[in-house]
């Protein structure tokens, strides 16, 4: 099993929560998989890039501030210094905090093996509860986030406290603006901790498409989202709380975008 920062794997090493890995292969020496690059229409983020590196990256702060915000909410300093964005994807927890941002921005994952390389849209990467499209012989190499003119992206995490809290609800909202008269386009509403995998709320996206961020649109979107998601009760929260809070978070983000 590949090990990057080890912040997910090491929790399993005692064997108390399932079989620990028999052997591990440290990826730390693969410097090619670290850091950021711009390829004109997209930002490329190496799989071994840590949350601290994301927080400090001028490129990421300029082009993808919502990912910087998400990185800042993960664990605390120790976890941010070691935990990687590739590990967050491969671990495929529904509560992974970067994952809604990657879904909302239509990111693609570049996978590689001795057989070659391929691209998988993040929306197709999570195949079920903690399962992914990653084959056993593949590594996540980098994440490609397209940069779309006029796109705005927002992020909000709700947890028990500001650090070391796994999300009760995590949400990312993205849209494109086309001046004052036209409504929003390419709306994305992505959530974590409300289903078995990170999800996009497509009915809610459709309700916001072509709309301006006015109170009626926010009310309709919140109502649609509450009806669309099917969260569960677990140790961290209840289904009712998650549904209500997800709807209110979305409402608030639309209100902030509308300036009312
Ligand atoms: C105290 C604590 C707090 C935490 N808080 C948060 C939080 O607030 N939000 C959050 O989202 N997560 C949190 N986590 C979870 C964890 O830190 C993140 O999921 C992190 O991104 C995992 O990255 P890693 O590099 O440490 O992964 P590792 O533990 O090294 O690996 C995790 C899994 O990914 C696989 N893997 C890693 N890199 C690759 C690659 N390049 N290609 C293929 N497979 C790969 C490994 O084989 C393994 O299965 C927390 C963990 C701890 C211990």
């Amino acid at each position: 099993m590949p090990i990057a920062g080890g912040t997910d794997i090491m929790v399993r090493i005692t064997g108390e929560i399932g079989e620990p890995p028999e052997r591990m292969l440290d990826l730390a020496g693969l410097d090619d998989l670290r850091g950021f690059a711009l390829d004109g229409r997209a930002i490329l983020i190496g799989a071994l890039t840590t949350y601290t590196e994301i927080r400090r990256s001028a490129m990421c702060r300029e082009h993808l501030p919502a990912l910087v915000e998400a990185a800042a909410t993960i664990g605390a300093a120790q976890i941010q210094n070691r935990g990687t964005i590739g590990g967050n994807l491969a671990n495929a927890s529904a509560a992974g905090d970067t994952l809604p941002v990657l879904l909302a921005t239509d990111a693609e994952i570049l996978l590689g093996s001795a057989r070659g390389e391929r691209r998988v849209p993040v929306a197709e990467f999570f195949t079920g509860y903690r399962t992914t499209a990653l084959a056993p012989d593949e590594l996540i190499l980098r994440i490609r986030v397209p940069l779309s003119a006029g796109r705005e992206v927002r992020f909000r995490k709700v947890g028990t406290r500001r650090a070391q809290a796994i999300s009760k609800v995590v949400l990312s909202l993205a849209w494109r603006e086309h001046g004052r008269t036209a409504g929003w386009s390419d709306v994305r509403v992505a959530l974590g901790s409300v289903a078995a995998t990170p999800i996009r709320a497509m009915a809610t996206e459709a309700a916001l498409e072509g709309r301006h961020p006015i109170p009626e649109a926010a009310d309709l979107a919140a109502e649609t989202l509450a009806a669309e998601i099917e969260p569960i009760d677990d140790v961290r929260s209840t289904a009712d709380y998650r549904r209500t809070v997800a709807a209110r978070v979305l409402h608030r983000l639309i209100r902030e975008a509308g300036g009312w």
Side-chain angles (χ1 to χ4, degrees):
M1 176 174 285
I3 175 169
T7 61
D8 275 316
I9 290 183
M10 294 313 280
V11 175
R12 286 157 45 192
I13 214 79
T14 61
E16 287 164 88
I17 49 169
E19 280 297 300
E22 213 172 290
R23 277 175 295 173
M24 291 192 274
L25 181 68
D26 188 4
L27 304 181
L30 301 177
D31 284 339
D32 196 33
L33 302 192
R34 218 180 294 280
F36 308 86
L38 270 184
D39 83 354
R41 296 183 317 263
I43 181 165
L44 292 164
I45 307 172
L48 296 184
T49 308
T50 65
Y51 299 115
T52 299
E53 286 164 341
I54 290 172
R55 290 187 71 179
R56 291 182 180 161
S57 157
M59 196 187 286
C60 222
R61 292 164 87 110
E62 181 183 346
H63 295 289
L64 212 48
L67 188 65
V68 176
E69 270 185 66
T73 71
I74 290 180
Q78 300 99 321
I79 296 296
Q80 290 175 18
N81 283 341
R82 291 209 58 91
T84 64
I85 190 165
N88 210 213
L89 276 162
N91 192 54
S93 160
D97 287 317
T98 64
L99 310 178
V101 177
L102 300 179
L103 276 171
T105 51
D106 296 326
E108 291 178 312
I109 310 176
L110 278 63
L111 305 176
S113 70
R115 294 173 289 121
E117 294 187 11
R118 64 185 178 118
R119 284 184 187 190
V120 178
V122 173
E124 292 168 23
F125 185 69
F126 306 109
T127 48
Y129 177 69
R130 302 201 86 143
T131 58
T132 69
L134 195 64
D137 63 342
E138 278 180 319
L139 288 179
I140 299 175
L141 304 181
R142 40 190 70 81
I143 296 110
R144 182 180 188 277
V145 185
L147 299 173
S148 177
R151 184 183 66 196
E152 296 285 336
V153 190
R154 301 288 182 269
F155 170 84
R156 201 64 50 91
K157 167 173 172 173
V158 179
T160 305
R161 53 187 185 175
R162 285 174 67 92
Q164 304 291 22
I166 297 175
S167 311
K168 293 172 190 283
V169 170
V170 52
L171 189 150
S172 184
L173 168 69
W175 71 90
R176 283 180 68 203
E177 279 180 356
H178 308 269
R180 279 171 172 270
T181 46
W184 283 2
S185 76
D186 303 297
V187 180
R188 300 283 182 270
V189 180
L191 298 104
S193 294
V194 298
T197 65
I199 57 159
R200 271 178 57 188
M202 305 246 191
T204 309
E205 292 175 357
L208 280 169
E209 193 70 23
R211 304 292 304 263
H212 292 276
I214 57 173
E216 293 73 21
D219 290 347
L220 175 67
E223 217 174 277
T224 310
L225 184 64
E228 183 174 14
I229 56 175
E230 291 180 10
I232 57 164
D233 292 341
D234 66 13
V235 288
R236 287 196 292 279
S237 192
T238 63
D240 278 351
Y241 181 85
R242 288 182 157 122
R243 184 176 290 107
T244 306
V245 166
R248 293 318 298 170
V249 165
L250 180 63
H251 198 278
R252 171 71 67 94
L253 291 176
I254 298 167
R255 191 178 89 193
E256 287 172 4
W260 41 276

